[in-house]
Amino acid sequence: FEQELRLLGYAPAEIVRIRVLADLERDYNMAVEALNALVAGYRKGRVSETRFFELAEAFGIQRDTALWRLSLEKLKLGMEVAS
């Protein structure tokens, strides 16, 4: 990856920034995938609310993000959401 960027004429500082951006994008995509899988499990009754938060934390997802996503899913399902 970095070798290709060098061959394309990118400066070392630009390569570092591109690498950091690529890592951040990968981490974001992984978190989205994890949250989607957790929501699907919750929707199907295979993941409890407690387990949802445990697994989200294990995947490195912040609790407020997990809470927001679970609350959104509850609203979609017509469930009551705590204020």
Side-chain angles (χ1 to χ4, degrees), residues 34-79:
L35 269 175
N36 287 340
L38 288 172
V39 166
Y42 178 81
R43 188 182 316 120
K44 294 176 183 177
R46 295 187 180 129
V47 176
S48 69
E49 189 169 326
T50 300
R51 191 71 178 133
F52 183 95
F53 289 114
E54 290 171 352
L55 290 169
E57 183 179 347
F59 283 117
I61 298 165
Q62 294 182 357
R63 186 168 179 83
D64 63 331
T65 300
L67 178 60
W68 174 83
R69 189 61 177 89
L70 185 60
S71 296
L72 181 62
E73 186 60 26
K74 285 181 173 184
L75 285 172
K76 288 178 181 179
L77 294 171
M79 300 170 68

Side-chain angles (χ1 to χ4, degrees), residues 5 9-19:
L5 292 174
Y10 285 92
E14 291 174 307
I15 292 171
V16 169
R17 285 193 295 274
I18 291 170
R19 183 65 179 174

